[in-house]
Amino acid sequence: MTTTGEDHTSALTGPWWWARWRSAVLDGSLALVSAVECAAEGFPFAEAAGVPVPAGMLFGAVAGSVLVFRRRWPIAVVLVSIAITPAQMGFLMGLVGLYTLAASELPRRIIGALAGMSMIGMLIVTYVRAHQGMVRGDVALGDWFVPFVSITTSLGMTAPPVLLGLYIGARRRLMESLRERADSLERELQLLAERAEERAEWARNEERTRIAREMHDVVAHRVSLMVVHAAALQAVARKDPEKAVRNASLVGDMGRQALTELREMLGVLRRNDGAVPGVPAYSSAPAQAVPLAAVGAAAAAAAAASRGAEEEPGDGPCLDDLEELVGQSAAAGMVVDLSVEGQARVYAAPVEQTAYRVVQEALTNVHKHAAGAKTRVRLAHRGAEIAMQVENGPPPEPGAASDARLPSGGNGLVGMKERVVGLGGVFVSGPTDAGGFRVSAVIPAGG
């Protein structure tokens, strides 16, 4: 990955203003070479200026060593190189200083001004020296030679370092921009990955909850009726053999239906091919990962088994199955009455399934907590919604609610509310003033 931002800042390990030790060593070496050059050039300068040679060489060495500050104060380095140009010293410092200035983050107008000053100074000094050579007779050429040499030398000492510095500076800024963009993109990708993981975890939790709700709805009711019939069978086994036989037959039928529903779900959980949901398929090959949504689909498909073990599995329970559902509870000994108001019509599958599950779970709760209580189931078809209500009175005997010893996990009401609210409906449940319990739900017709 790239090193930008805070990582790039933490990577600055050089002394003082240098980012790295190698940069400090490079600048120190250049400053040393520049100091030696200026000191050597200070010898003829001292003789021409009439000052002591050691003083001229010392002046050159001090002026040349200013190059060590090129990264910190590039303007100062260029100004010093311009100042010592008349002494014909500091050529290396001038080249490196102009390059560093052009590659820096300074405004272009400052870079252009200092580069122009350096070129003009070099032009003047070269012109004067060349003209003096022509006068002394050191060079015997035409009048064109002095301007040509002056312009060529000044451009050659100024233009290349400035252009190279501008190119390196632009390239450096481009690389820094790309690093920053890469760093920003990496952070965004990490954030997106975290959000995707959160969404995936949320989706997994939602699917687990939905699967648990489906399994509870399609199995708990059937098993509860089995327990109720088994308790009744135990009570009448000796007194009424015929009734005991009927109860035993009902227990067997409901057990087979519950097994069919479980087999539908487990078949999907264990399926590792593209079989149709609802048809159990088993294989000895290692099971592949199955989307959790497939289990929910299987649960809906398995609900059709509640119509009978011999029937083909359909798309799920519907409102037409309410009479059979109520009849099963009546066969288990519950005094239950079903009333339908309004004109019956076909609703969306989720709406009908949810309405069916609400009534089913409410009847299951009556079997668990108020065995023998009189129960009334009301279904109302309205213009834009469908309403249902299951209300039971108090159990006829105080201990009747616990005769069958049905366990309760406390998830039935939660599951009903989740289903109804998920379709944009309203769910209300609670005890009545008469000592019973009421479950009411209103679901939009559009689902």
Side-chain angles (χ1 to χ4, degrees), residues 67-140:
L67 190 58
V68 76
F69 302 105
R70 71 182 186 94
R71 298 178 191 265
R72 183 72 170 180
W73 298 297
I75 296 178
V77 173
V78 174
L79 290 176
V80 171
S81 69
I82 295 173
I84 64 176
T85 298
Q88 288 188 321
M89 61 175 62
F91 295 103
L92 176 63
M93 183 169 61
L95 293 173
V96 177
L98 287 175
Y99 163 79
T100 306
L101 178 70
S104 65
E105 300 292 337
L106 293 172
R108 294 294 178 86
R109 63 180 183 274
I110 296 178
I111 298 175
L114 291 176
M117 291 172 58
S118 178
M119 186 181 67
I120 293 173
M122 183 64 63
L123 176 65
I124 294 173
V125 171
T126 306
Y127 183 86
V128 172
R129 293 296 183 180
H131 182 71
Q132 290 176 352
M134 292 285 292
V135 172
R136 290 194 303 265
D138 297 338
V139 180

Side-chain angles (χ1 to χ4, degrees), residues 419-446:
R419 285 178 175 274
V420 174
V421 173
L423 295 178
V426 179
F427 178 85
V428 179
S429 63
T432 62
D433 296 337
F437 199 84
R438 181 188 298 114
V439 172
S440 301
V442 178
I443 305 173

Side-chain angles (χ1 to χ4, degrees), residues 255-265 302 305 308-311:
R256 283 188 293 271
Q257 294 170 4
L259 287 176
T260 300
E261 295 167 356
L262 286 175
R263 190 177 296 113
E264 296 285 348
M265 296 180 187
E310 296 82 6
E311 294 181 0

